[in-house]
Amino acid sequence: MSGAGTPDFFYREAQRLGYVARSAFKLLQIQKQHKLITQGSSVLDLGCAPGAWLQVACQSLGPLKNGGTVVGIDLKKVKVPPLYCDARVRTVCADVMKLPKNQVRALSPRHKGFSVVLSDMCPLVSGITTRDAALSAGVRNAST
């Protein structure tokens, strides 16, 4: 959405195409330029809510017969979007910052790890500029 609260072009386009968020276009552009996700890739999406990158990642795997997997982790419970996603996509509700590495690896095919790791995470924000800046920088106990 644009700053004025009116839907912008990318918001409207995401709605028209069935993506759950305009952020899908960020990953589509990255994928177009760099082809990070290939057929058969195992993809980990950190901070996957609301699920637009899950949609693009699954699309990028190609047809279901080509295999591959997409696992999304988020603090929020995320329902796998029905459009563009198939049985290769699943989500986990957890704090990825506190999840042990071996538990993350256990989510991957044959427990060997992921070939692609995506993240569009941001810290939870309060709306208080100085506090949010400190949270973004990773400073604990930021007060205003």
Side-chain angles (χ1 to χ4, degrees):
M1 299 265 272
S2 65
T6 58
D8 65 16
F9 169 79
F10 290 106
Y11 175 86
R12 288 190 309 273
E13 192 67 1
Q15 295 293 301
R16 185 182 73 77
L17 295 173
Y19 291 113
V20 295
R22 66 196 299 281
S23 59
F25 297 111
K26 285 195 270 187
L27 185 55
L28 285 167
Q29 183 65 35
I30 292 167
Q31 186 64 9
K32 181 179 176 183
Q33 289 179 325
H34 303 287
K35 308 256 187 286
L36 297 176
I37 304 166
T38 58
Q39 294 180 9
S41 291
S42 56
V43 180
L44 177 61
D45 181 2
L46 304 174
C48 67
W53 282 24
L54 297 173
Q55 293 176 295
V56 175
C58 189
Q59 259 185 306
S60 300
L61 293 175
L64 186 59
K65 65 181 174 133
N66 292 343
T69 187
V70 179
V71 176
I73 302 175
D74 201 282
L75 287 169
K76 299 176 186 174
K77 185 176 172 79
V78 177
K79 185 178 180 235
V80 175
L83 190 58
Y84 303 118
C85 291
D86 55 39
R88 297 174 288 183
V89 181
R90 65 186 173 119
T91 61
V92 175
C93 183
D95 184 347
V96 72
M97 302 303 283
K98 296 178 181 169
L99 211 55
K101 195 184 312 184
N102 62 334
Q103 283 187 311
V104 175
R105 181 170 283 154
L107 298 170
S108 69
R110 295 179 295 285
H111 306 276
K112 295 195 178 219
F114 293 91
S115 55
V116 179
V117 178
L118 305 172
S119 180
D120 196 22
M121 288 192 300
C122 68
L124 296 174
V125 292
S126 66
I128 302 168
T129 306
T130 54
R131 185 179 196 297
D132 293 341
L135 287 172
S136 293
V139 178
R140 297 194 186 273
N141 298 324
S143 61
T144 56

